[in-house]
Amino acid sequence: MIPVWRWLAMAAAILTVAACDSGGRPVEDLRLLRLKAGESTAEDVRRVFGAPDDRRAEAGGEVLVYPLGPEGAATLALRIDAQGRYSGYENLLTRANLERVRPGMDAAQVRVLLGRPGYEREFALQRQRRWEWRFIDGPTTAMLVVVFGADGRVVGTAVEDDPRTSGGA
């Protein structure tokens, strides 16, 4: 008889492998496993994910942007090549993309890099606006923060603790 802990370990291993793409990297959404780069069409992407939150032209094709859930920890940019085939994806919500946000950028430029924010706040007295995104940061989640000045341009960025992981709202 096989001990229960071995069954659990085998089940965990199967789930871990099932949640990785063909290259072995973990996927942010299991629906990605239903798409095959070079084979799936733009229509397949829409059938699996629905209407994109944003759609933009890119050299050699287009990008369909899908924020995952309200205040989700990933925003997927699914690439469609010039022939209308799915060619891969990237998660926009990363520290590397936040580091590409520079003072003086406008809101449209920030949305291209990070997608639609999960949360927006206005600070009338400071004449600032703050956009926040929850993202996966190692074994937990954190918040990407972009602050806009009165002129609508970026004045600063930060990575903060996720208040939900410390009992906040």
Side-chain angles (χ1 to χ4, degrees), residues 34-35 39-50 85:
R34 295 172 51 192
L35 301 173
E39 295 177 24
S40 299
T41 64
E43 184 56 36
D44 294 331
V45 170
R46 287 182 183 90
R47 192 174 13 265
V48 170
F49 279 91
R85 300 255 177 228

Side-chain angles (χ1 to χ4, degrees), residues 49-167:
F49 279 91
D53 181 67
D54 190 16
R55 179 179 163 194
R56 54 185 180 253
E58 182 177 79
E62 69 177 336
V63 176
L64 306 177
V65 180
Y66 293 92
L68 299 183
E71 295 185 56
T75 294
L76 302 179
L78 282 68
R79 289 191 160 59
I80 306 299
D81 67 19
Q83 289 73 42
R85 300 255 177 228
Y86 167 72
S87 62
Y89 76 96
E90 74 171 301
N91 178 8
L92 298 178
L93 300 183
T94 63
R95 281 182 184 260
N97 271 355
L98 179 66
E99 290 170 5
R100 294 172 56 199
V101 176
R102 298 282 179 243
M105 293 176 103
D106 64 28
Q109 292 170 309
V110 173
R111 269 194 76 142
V112 167
L113 290 174
L114 301 173
R116 178 174 35 92
Y119 193 71
E120 296 182 43
R121 297 182 200 207
E122 292 285 334
F123 297 97
L125 293 177
Q126 296 172 324
R127 299 184 56 204
Q128 291 184 334
R129 184 173 35 141
R130 176 179 163 127
W131 285 5
E132 299 175 358
W133 296 261
R134 183 167 278 104
F135 79 110
I136 299 167
D137 192 30
T140 186
T141 57
M143 302 299 290
L144 298 174
V145 178
V146 176
V147 179
F148 297 91
D151 64 353
R153 301 209 171 265
V154 172
V155 295
T157 64
V159 173
E160 298 179 352
D161 291 337
D162 183 349
R164 290 184 181 174
T165 61
S166 59

